[in-house]
Every structure is written in structure tokens, then in C-alpha cells.
Amino acid sequence: MTELTASSRVTVFPLEDLTVAYTTQSSDARGLGDIGLVTIVDEQSDGDELWRLARDLGGRPQSSDQARWILTQASRARVVNAYTTLLDAKWTAHISRRFELDALFANHELLMTGRITLPNH
């Protein structure tokens, strides 16, 4: 697992029986947010639950379709703005999976999943 620590806006939302956190990172100094970071708020998780949900609940057998399904759930939660938004939250994520998308999707070229530690969660 790769560990990342940063501060950014984090959207926290429920997905089935999971608490999910979504934030973005940038691959360069332009700050485009081209990396989608979708993680589980749980110290025991490795993030694979998201991929299983995408396969089983989302009906997506291919990894690329599963990645897009995961990003769609995260983007939807942020747009709806009905869930918790932590502005400039300091977090630490343990990344267990990186998936490069074959084309830009929801403004992301890369999806990273795993678990995250947030303040007050």
C-alpha cells in the first residue's frame, strides 16, 4: 500500500453499508484534480469493497467500467451536496489500487482506491 497525506476538500457519503470519502489530487502543478481518490473510511478496509460493489451492484464485469461506476458514485455525491463536505481537511490515505482510465472520465485520468483516515471520523 502507498500512503498519501494531504489537505483538500473531501466529500463523505454513504454507499450501501460503507462510508466513502472522495477527494481529488493533481498529477502536476496545474492543479487540475485529474486523480480521483475514492476511499473507505474504515481502518480495516483495503478499498476492494468499492470494486465488488461496482461489479455486483453496478453490474460491471470489466475493470474500466467498474472504475467509471466508482467515480460516478463519488461525483454524484459531490454534485448533490447532500452529504458531508470537509473543506481543506487533512487526511491520510492508504492506496491499495491505482487504475488508469483509457479516457478522461469525470475529469479524471486515474482512480485510486483504498482506505482513508479523516479528522473527527
Side-chain angles (χ1 to χ4, degrees), residues 1-3 8 22 28 41 44 72 77 79-80 85 91-92 115:
M1 278 198 192
T2 302
E3 184 176 300
S8 62
Y22 168 59
D28 60 30
V41 183
Q44 306 303 315
T72 297
V79 169
V80 168
T85 299
W91 50 264
T92 300
R115 72 174 182 266

Side-chain angles (χ1 to χ4, degrees), residues 6-120:
S7 294
S8 62
R9 176 175 63 153
V10 179
T11 301
V12 180
F13 62 99
L15 184 61
E16 290 297 300
D17 60 346
L18 304 173
T19 300
V20 180
Y22 168 59
T23 190
T24 62
Q25 292 291 285
S26 299
S27 61
D28 60 30
R30 295 178 293 168
L32 299 175
D34 54 317
I35 300 169
L37 184 65
V38 184
T39 53
I40 306 297
V41 183
D42 181 341
E43 292 181 13
Q44 306 303 315
S45 176
D46 60 7
D48 282 345
E49 300 93 331
L50 292 167
W51 296 90
R52 284 191 293 276
L53 277 178
R55 183 193 65 222
D56 299 341
L57 184 63
R60 308 294 195 263
Q62 302 297 321
S63 293
S64 58
D65 292 332
Q66 292 169 5
R68 285 190 286 275
W69 186 89
I70 292 167
L71 285 169
T72 297
Q73 305 316 305
S75 296
R76 181 179 304 146
R78 181 163 283 178
V79 169
V80 168
N81 202 24
Y83 303 108
T84 303
T85 299
L86 306 172
L87 301 175
D88 200 34
K90 184 170 175 66
W91 50 264
T92 300
H94 299 272
I95 305 305
S96 60
R97 188 164 178 181
R98 297 170 50 95
F99 188 86
E100 288 192 38
L101 298 154
D102 54 3
L104 192 65
F105 184 81
N107 198 46
H108 299 305
E109 294 178 335
L110 177 67
L111 169 63
M112 296 193 301
T113 59
R115 72 174 182 266
I116 195 167
T117 303
L118 296 166
N120 304 321

